[in-house]
């Protein structure tokens, strides 16, 4: 029963993402990790990418893969649930000379990606869409060569526990509440996995990863979008809107 429910969520998320994808083309892509986070040129989590085989989980419109190509990666691989996103990524990367392989599919399943093949697996603001994090992490661990790195960013679990009403910040949900739930900013059915930061860390350890670094730093810049509703300056000065974790396959 649980597996059939997860399949329904994956199918529903695919439909929602196929429709909503154009809103997100080119947004939150490397060297940007997420709202108010330091950029890759400051963090240098990926190191020298020359000759590296990389796989992106939730590759979206392909802009992060394009960044990887510009940094010298030798092979670009990506998987995304949305047909719309994959088509956009193919078009964006059509003139890229780097070897390219894109798959439409759920991150919870292996659609034909080779195992123990990649130097780096990464995910920029997509991992929280997994309806089965444990299975997803098992796949990612298998894809990596021994000693390879997995780097991902995602919305901080504290962020949607707080809501903003004018200048007031209100705690509207328990941090301890976990599980699959409707993504608040979306009107269409869109199921995300709400997990504590400790759950992400413990699931990574359970999968066999060694944690190297956790980033919760907040970078407040002067150029704040005053129209922002979900990620606001007022919330960012109180809690981190997003986080990054880098880990290694033992």
């Amino acid at each position: 029963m649980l597996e059939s429910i997860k399949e329904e969520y994956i199918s529903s998320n695919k439909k929602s993402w196929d429709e909503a994808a154009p809103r997100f083309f080119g947004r939150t892509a490397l060297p940007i990790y997420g709202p108010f986070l330091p950029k890759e040129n400051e963090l240098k989590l990926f190191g020298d990418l020359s000759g590296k085989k990389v796989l992106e989980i939730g590759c979206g419109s392909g802009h992060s893969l394009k960044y990887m190509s510009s940094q010298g990666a030798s092979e670009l691989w990506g998987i995304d649930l949305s047909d719309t996103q994959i088509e956009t990524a193919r078009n964006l990367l059509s003139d890229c000379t780097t070897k390219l392989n894109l798959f439409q599919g759920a991150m919870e399943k292996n659609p034909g990606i080779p195992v123990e093949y990649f130097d780096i697996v990464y995910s920029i603001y997509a991992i929280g869409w997994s309806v089965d994090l444990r299975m997803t992490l098992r796949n990612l661990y298998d894809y990596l060569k021994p000693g390879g790195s997995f780097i991902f960013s995602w919305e901080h679990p504290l962020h949607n526990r707080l809501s903003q009403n004018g200048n007031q910040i209100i705690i509207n949900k328990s941090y301890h509440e976990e599980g699959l739930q409707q993504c608040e900013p979306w009107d269409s059915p869109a199921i995300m996995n709400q997990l504590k930061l400790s759950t992400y860390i413990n699931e990574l350890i359970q999968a066999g990863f060694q944690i190297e670094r956790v980033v919760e730093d907040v970078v407040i810049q002067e150029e704040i979008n005053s129209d922002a509703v979900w990620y606001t300056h007022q919330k960012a000065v109180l809690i981190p809107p997003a986080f990054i974790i880098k880990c290694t396959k033992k």
Side-chain angles (χ1 to χ4, degrees), residues 3-50:
E3 290 306 313
S4 64
I5 291 173
K6 289 178 181 178
E7 290 291 340
E8 289 178 14
Y9 286 157
I10 290 171
S11 177
S12 175
N13 281 352
K14 180 186 182 307
K15 181 179 179 182
S16 294
W17 266 106
D18 281 339
E19 295 173 356
R23 289 167 41 201
F24 298 94
F25 289 165
R27 289 172 56 182
T28 316
L30 287 171
I32 295 171
Y33 281 97
F36 299 100
L37 281 170
K39 296 180 182 179
E40 170 58 13
N41 57 333
E42 303 166 55
L43 295 171
K44 297 180 173 28
L45 297 179
F46 286 93
D48 184 3
L49 286 163
S50 300

Side-chain angles (χ1 to χ4, degrees), residues 149-164:
S149 295
F150 172 45
I151 301 167
F152 74 97
S153 64
W154 183 240
E155 182 176 282
H156 199 285
L158 283 172
H159 186 266
N160 79 353
R161 267 66 166 188
L162 273 64
S163 62
Q164 185 169 347

Side-chain angles (χ1 to χ4, degrees), residues 21-179:
R23 289 167 41 201
F24 298 94
F25 289 165
R27 289 172 56 182
T28 316
L30 287 171
I32 295 171
Y33 281 97
F36 299 100
L37 281 170
K39 296 180 182 179
E40 170 58 13
N41 57 333
E42 303 166 55
L43 295 171
K44 297 180 173 28
L45 297 179
F46 286 93
D48 184 3
L49 286 163
S50 300
K52 297 295 177 63
K53 299 172 183 176
V54 303
L55 166 65
E56 181 172 11
I57 307 301
C59 62
S61 54
H63 286 78
S64 287
L65 285 170
K66 188 172 184 178
Y67 170 84
M68 287 289 180
S69 178
S70 73
Q71 299 301 303
S74 62
E75 294 187 22
L76 308 176
W77 295 65
I79 180 172
D80 198 278
L81 185 60
S82 166
D83 286 300
T84 308
Q85 295 277 42
I86 289 294
E87 181 181 357
T88 303
R90 287 193 193 282
N91 290 334
L92 179 76
L93 300 165
S94 60
D95 59 354
C96 181
T97 58
T98 311
K99 181 180 178 181
L100 176 67
N101 289 279
L102 297 178
F103 295 85
Q104 182 281 317
M107 64 181 83
E108 296 84 357
K109 305 173 185 178
N110 184 346
I113 296 170
V115 299
E116 294 199 349
Y117 187 77
F118 297 94
D119 301 291
I120 295 172
V121 175
Y122 70 98
S123 180
I124 305 302
Y125 241 67
I127 204 72
W129 289 98
S130 172
V131 300
D132 189 333
L133 181 64
R134 181 163 295 182
M135 181 57 68
T136 296
L137 293 180
R138 285 177 184 170
N139 289 338
L140 308 192
Y141 189 87
D142 288 344
Y143 299 150
L144 280 168
K145 298 176 182 178
S149 295
F150 172 45
I151 301 167
F152 74 97
S153 64
W154 183 240
E155 182 176 282
H156 199 285
L158 283 172
H159 186 266
N160 79 353
R161 267 66 166 188
L162 273 64
S163 62
Q164 185 169 347
N165 184 5
N167 291 324
Q168 289 187 319
I169 304 296
I170 303 166
I171 299 174
N172 61 5
K173 195 181 299 182
S174 169
Y175 179 72
H176 307 293
E177 181 182 332
E178 293 188 289

